[in-house]
Amino acid sequence: MRREHCGTRNHIEVWHASVLPSGLELIRLRTVLRGSLLPILVWTGGACFAYFVYNSVVATVLGGIFALSMVVGYWLRRRARHSVRCSVYGALGGVLDKSMAGF
């Protein structure tokens, strides 16, 4: 994959599309995170709820599921010959996007 096309809108979709640039251009991690505020709050809220209601082990398991999903997404993107930057952004955006698919 060509470097100039790797960090573009085509490869990194975030949950809230209104923060993405209108065309094909590199986006920053801040843009990915800003577009994913609701999923980040849901993951954080779920972990806090599990910690206070159940146990810290449950919150740790939830964090492990999130981390495992990111690692698998990163690995799949690297196998498809994406750059490291694109793989990190895409894995984060993908996990946050897919976790909110039911809403």
Side-chain angles (χ1 to χ4, degrees):
M1 174 145 300
R2 294 176 54 188
R3 181 180 176 149
E4 61 268 12
H5 297 294
C6 202
T8 64
R9 180 185 180 119
N10 289 342
H11 298 289
I12 301 172
E13 290 296 330
V14 292
W15 188 74
H16 192 278
S18 66
V19 299
L20 288 174
S22 59
L24 295 176
E25 58 186 68
L26 287 174
I27 61 174
R28 300 181 189 276
L29 181 61
R30 183 175 59 179
T31 306
V32 174
L33 294 178
R34 189 178 61 186
S36 303
L37 284 179
L38 181 61
I40 290 170
L41 290 175
V42 168
W43 275 98
T44 305
C48 289
F49 178 78
Y51 178 79
F52 288 116
V53 172
Y54 296 110
N55 196 348
S56 63
V57 174
V58 177
T60 304
V61 168
L62 187 61
I65 290 170
F66 182 82
L68 180 66
S69 300
M70 286 227 9
V71 168
V72 169
Y74 176 81
W75 179 73
L76 289 172
R77 289 176 184 279
R78 288 299 291 160
R79 278 193 65 189
R81 298 193 180 270
H82 289 259
S83 69
V84 172
R85 179 181 179 183
C86 181
S87 298
V88 170
Y89 290 6
L92 177 62
V95 169
L96 294 173
D97 178 45
K98 299 303 182 224
S99 67
M100 298 302 292
F103 290 107

